[in-house]
Amino acid sequence: MKHSSRWTRMMVALTCGAFIVLGAGLIRAFTPEGQSPKWVAPAAAAGKKNPVASNDASIGTGRKIYGKECLSCHGKKGIGDGPKASELSKEPGNLTTKDFQAQTDGAIFYKITKGNKPMPTFGTAYSDEERWSLVNYVRTLGK
Ligand code: HEC
């Protein structure tokens, strides 16, 4: 039965080929163009409660730091169009979208604290209270 075994081998090869092409297509379809995988805060960090009340004082503190440290990349309104944005290896994203604002305060706090190149780390330059105040300010960008 030489003939049928060659046919079987051909079918196996074709099926494998089809899966490889399909798999590669699926991976490409789910990878946004030119972007690395989405940056997600760990669940434990995302579950942290914001201990700083969102009021004029904390929002004001956040606004001041934002203007000094964040605006150059994230832009005045947070849409990612700061003067330095075009030089970055990665887009700063858009802090005003529903998608972004759906993240918990804890997740945003974590990202500001840790950074993720080229997004800098702010965990040492600013106190916890100042970084939670930044979260309160970033919340106002979504409104
Ligand atoms: C040098 C440019 C730069 C500066 C300065 C900067 N960022 Fe970013 N930021 C980025 C980039 C680029 C990303 C996207 C990182 C990623 O997705 O891996 C980012 C991501 C973020 C995110 C997460 C966005 C998301 O979609 O979840 C937050 C929140 C954020 N930045 C807040 C800030 C705050 C607040 C400051 C100031 C204290 C700041 N950033 C300063 C470049 C910058």
Side-chain angles (χ1 to χ4, degrees):
M1 296 289 276
K2 209 171 169 200
H3 180 80
S4 101
S5 95
R6 199 192 300 148
W7 189 80
T8 307
R9 251 183 285 142
M10 201 171 82
M11 285 314 286
V12 169
L14 275 176
T15 310
C16 287
F19 273 116
I20 289 166
V21 170
L22 199 79
L26 279 175
I27 288 167
R28 203 158 337 122
F30 285 103
T31 310
E33 200 133 317
Q35 287 280 34
S36 23
K38 207 169 152 60
W39 182 21
V40 179
K48 254 198 201 168
K49 288 262 178 300
N50 187 342
V52 177
S54 175
N55 53 31
D56 289 352
S58 73
I59 290 171
T61 300
R63 179 183 295 117
K64 223 159 109 192
I65 302 171
Y66 184 93
K68 204 169 134 209
E69 305 279 7
C70 324
L71 192 150
S72 60
C73 295
H74 288 281
K76 192 166 173 6
K77 296 191 170 138
I79 60 170
D81 63 346
K84 261 168 64 182
S86 60
E87 303 162 17
L88 302 173
S89 58
K90 229 191 265 168
E91 286 176 14
N94 187 334
L95 307 180
T96 71
T97 61
K98 249 197 199 152
D99 213 29
F100 169 76
Q101 293 285 340
Q103 296 185 60
T104 60
D105 281 8
I108 298 172
F109 179 80
Y110 171 87
K111 290 181 175 183
I112 296 171
T113 303
K114 298 285 178 190
N116 191 31
K117 255 187 174 173
M119 160 82 190
T121 307
F122 291 99
T124 45
Y126 292 98
S127 69
D128 282 16
E129 187 170 346
E130 286 169 321
R131 281 175 283 121
W132 285 115
S133 297
L134 268 167
V135 172
N136 291 341
Y137 177 67
V138 162
R139 284 292 181 213
T140 69
L141 298 172
K143 288 176 185 140

